[in-house]
Amino acid sequence: MDFKCDRFSILPQELVILIISFLPLVDAFRLCLLRKDWLWFQLWKHCRSIELHETTFTNVGPGVPARHLKTTRKRKFVDILNRTVPRIMSPALSKLSFQMGYSKKYQNNINLCLVIALWKNVEELSLDFSDKDSSRAMPVWNKAQYALPEFFYRAGKSIRVLSLKSCSLGFCNFKSFLRLKSLSLTRIGISIVEMTTILITSCPVLDTLNLVECYQLTKLVICSTLLGLRRLVVSNCESLSLGIELCLPRLEYFEYVGGLVRFSTSQLDDLKEVVLDFQLDTRYLYRSEEITEFFSGFSQARIFTVCVSALKVFPNEYLSEEPLLPLIHVEHFTLKTRMNRYELYAILCLLKSAPRMKLLSISSDFLRPLNDFAHYGCPELPEGFWVTEGWTLNHLKWVDVDGFTGKKYEVEFLKFLLRNSRMLCELAITPHIQGKRSLYSQAFADLQNEERASTCVIIKYR
């Protein structure tokens, strides 16, 4: 048998066309290079998925390229755009993913590409007009932006997944988007009125909403018992100073990344997972009573992720008879922490507030800058801090530590868990890639010799 025989190139043309219909444009064109007749008949025109990214077709060296090189590169990309998209023969498109740093000179070319995609009833549309090569920290609202034309809103009835980045909403009328299920807005200026119009009056089947680095939105209000929104992500929207108000009975996943803001929530009956990644604000000093407000609306969540470094809980507050935070339903807790001294009170406060927790994941948050917290007034840990009586984690079965460094407070905390977790089955530890072996060895030896409340616990080192 000749194993060098190219069996793929002998396939009938009809089958090749069927295969091409499932491939992105670039891959379809590469496939046609296997045989001259496939390329001659331009079988790539039968593809249904178009992914045209400016940075894919042209290589850019380190740093910002010279202006004339960048202009030449964009001109070549637009030439590829003009020679491929108008020739697509498929009656319907499953996807159009388009990325190009916006230039007013090529607005008509962009409009033509968008018209063809809408005419072919595209289902998944992604438009990204950010400049990948720009090194200037110029505010988004000061840059020339592509404004979505009126015809885009009139012909959006086929779109199910829509992603917009670094552009202007322009006319902003989503009334024809009756099939839209997922909407992502990144670096887009949007007002409270526009957001309310999009969600409540225009997109009845929307179930996923992502807002990333949006501006002009001072407050996010999504209150509708009829809206079927199931997943909501709000990330780094710095203008969101007046907080978030939610009333979404079907919401299952909520993620917030950004500064400390107020939450006003109600009827989150189906909520399953919450991610609160607060960014540390050194100017904002608050008390434990205020911390309760950040968690009060998410009491139904079963899976909870929180950044501990922004929660400054001080001595004796975690020892109160009643749990400080309403996390009684949490079964899987993930803590993003550096395991510094000032964070330990918040960690114990969170654990005490989640009596039904079965899985505890600890992720080292080393990507955040390390600040000087001396001026917060966090005192030294009192003597006997780790031998507090009355601590029983009756449901905790698994502990997973990722990024273990072996420093003092990490080891003491894990010893604390071993002494107070009666049902613990496994403690899995993954060392930090840049840690010291000597610290690991000593820490592992101390943990092996520590007294354990559970007789069946296994300590694993990965």
Side-chain angles (χ1 to χ4, degrees):
M1 181 180 295
D2 185 4
F3 290 96
K4 295 183 180 181
C5 178
D6 182 6
R7 297 182 180 275
F8 192 85
S9 61
I10 64 176
L11 293 176
Q13 185 170 302
E14 293 78 8
L15 182 55
V16 175
I17 292 176
L18 178 61
I19 295 173
I20 286 176
S21 67
F22 292 98
L23 297 178
L25 176 60
V26 177
D27 293 337
F29 186 82
R30 290 170 179 167
L31 177 61
C32 291
L33 295 177
L34 293 177
R35 281 182 54 171
K36 291 183 179 181
D37 57 333
W38 294 354
L39 190 60
W40 175 262
F41 290 110
Q42 298 181 349
L43 299 188
W44 54 267
K45 296 189 296 186
H46 296 275
C47 75
R48 299 178 63 247
S49 176
I50 303 175
E51 297 182 12
L52 291 173
H53 296 180
E54 183 180 9
T55 54
T56 301
F57 287 91
T58 50
N59 297 323
V60 180
V64 180
R67 186 175 184 83
H68 68 280
L69 293 178
K70 190 173 182 178
T71 303
T72 302
R73 186 185 77 167
K74 191 176 296 291
R75 189 185 304 118
K76 290 182 178 179
F77 173 74
V78 173
D79 181 58
I80 294 173
L81 173 69
N82 294 336
R83 288 191 290 111
T84 55
V85 177
R87 297 183 181 183
I88 297 298
M89 296 178 60
S90 298
L93 289 181
S94 60
K95 179 180 180 180
L96 170 63
S97 180
F98 179 86
Q99 184 276 316
M100 184 181 77
Y102 176 64
S103 175
K104 191 175 182 179
K105 179 180 179 181
Y106 300 112
Q107 181 163 332
N108 291 335
N109 304 93
I110 299 172
N111 287 344
L112 177 61
C113 179
L114 191 55
V115 166
I116 294 174
L118 295 174
W119 178 58
K120 292 181 177 293
N121 295 320
V122 63
E123 295 184 357
E124 183 177 347
L125 179 62
S126 176
L127 301 176
D128 181 359
F129 298 98
S130 58
D131 192 345
K132 304 296 183 181
D133 302 327
S134 177
S135 60
R136 298 180 181 179
M138 184 185 296
V140 178
W141 52 86
N142 286 347
K143 298 180 180 179
Q145 287 189 319
Y146 176 77
L148 293 172
E150 261 187 71
F151 69 79
F152 167 76
Y153 294 102
R154 293 197 303 267
K157 59 183 179 180
S158 65
I159 299 177
R160 298 174 62 88
V161 179
L162 177 62
S163 177
L164 302 174
K165 185 175 183 179
S166 298
C167 63
S168 170
L169 294 181
F171 182 61
C172 194
N173 186 347
F174 282 80
K175 289 185 178 180
S176 67
F177 288 69
L178 300 178
R179 299 182 64 193
L180 187 63
K181 300 199 67 175
S182 176
L183 174 63
S184 296
L185 302 178
T186 304
R187 297 181 186 175
I188 289 179
I190 186 169
S191 65
I192 299 176
V193 176
E194 289 173 329
M195 180 56 64
T196 304
T197 302
I198 291 173
L199 293 174
I200 298 177
T201 63
S202 301
C203 306
V205 298
L206 188 70
D207 66 4
T208 300
L209 174 63
N210 298 320
L211 302 175
V212 182
E213 299 180 24
C214 291
Y215 52 95
Q216 298 178 359
L217 185 65
T218 56
K219 185 176 183 179
L220 179 62
V221 180
I222 309 178
C223 296
S224 175
T225 56
L226 301 178
L227 190 63
L229 199 65
R230 297 184 180 275
R231 182 181 177 90
L232 175 61
V233 176
V234 183
S235 177
N236 295 314
C237 298
E238 296 182 359
S239 60
L240 204 62
S241 58
L242 300 181
I244 298 176
E245 184 177 346
L246 302 176
C247 177
L248 297 168
R250 300 181 186 178
L251 190 67
E252 296 179 357
Y253 178 91
F254 175 70
E255 178 177 346
Y256 175 80
V257 181
L260 293 162
V261 297
R262 299 297 182 187
F263 296 109
S264 176
T265 59
S266 61
Q267 299 187 36
L268 302 183
D269 302 327
D270 289 348
L271 194 62
K272 297 179 181 179
E273 183 172 358
V274 174
V275 177
L276 297 181
D277 194 352
F278 294 120
Q279 297 172 352
L280 182 62
D281 188 350
T282 57
R283 301 166 297 176
Y284 188 59
L285 303 179
Y286 51 90
R287 299 178 181 178
S288 59
E289 293 81 2
E290 294 174 301
I291 295 175
T292 307
E293 297 179 11
F294 297 123
F295 293 85
S296 59
F298 310 114
S299 58
Q300 299 298 324
R302 264 59 174 177
I303 304 173
F304 216 106
T305 299
V306 63
C307 172
V308 181
S309 62
L311 304 179
K312 302 182 281 291
V313 182
F314 295 105
N316 299 325
E317 315 229 58
Y318 69 93
L319 295 176
S320 59
E321 294 183 3
E322 296 295 329
L324 185 62
L325 306 175
L327 303 174
I328 191 171
H329 296 292
V330 174
E331 296 181 357
H332 181 186
F333 223 137
T334 299
L335 304 179
K336 298 176 66 176
T337 173
R338 281 178 175 267
M339 200 60 70
N340 288 323
R341 175 171 55 86
Y342 84 97
E343 296 176 288
L344 295 176
Y345 297 104
I347 291 174
L348 293 186
C349 173
L350 292 169
L351 296 186
K352 190 176 183 67
S353 301
R356 300 181 182 178
M357 176 180 55
K358 296 180 180 179
L359 172 59
L360 173 62
S361 300
I362 300 174
S363 177
S364 296
D365 199 11
F366 285 98
L367 295 179
R368 295 177 185 271
L370 182 61
N371 301 85
D372 180 13
F373 300 101
H375 62 280
Y376 291 157
C378 183
E380 292 292 335
L381 297 181
E383 191 173 340
F385 177 83
W386 295 109
V387 292
T388 305
E389 297 182 359
W391 274 86
T392 52
L393 302 171
N394 293 327
H395 292 81
L396 185 61
K397 293 185 177 181
W398 303 280
V399 177
D400 189 359
V401 182
D402 186 15
F404 182 74
T405 63
K407 61 184 179 182
K408 176 183 176 182
Y409 295 128
E410 282 181 298
V411 178
E412 291 182 344
F413 175 69
L414 295 182
K415 288 182 178 180
F416 173 81
L417 293 180
L418 288 172
R419 292 195 303 268
N420 293 277
S421 305
R422 299 176 180 177
M423 302 296 293
L424 190 63
C425 299
E426 180 178 298
L427 171 59
I429 300 175
T430 303
H432 192 269
I433 191 172
Q434 297 179 350
K436 297 181 179 179
R437 289 185 175 272
S438 57
L439 285 178
Y440 295 153
S441 300
Q442 182 61 44
F444 295 159
D446 292 345
L447 291 175
Q448 289 289 1
N449 297 327
E450 183 61 29
E451 179 183 352
R452 309 174 189 183
S454 173
T455 57
C456 60
V457 61
I458 299 175
I459 302 178
K460 291 184 178 180
Y461 307 106
R462 297 173 179 170

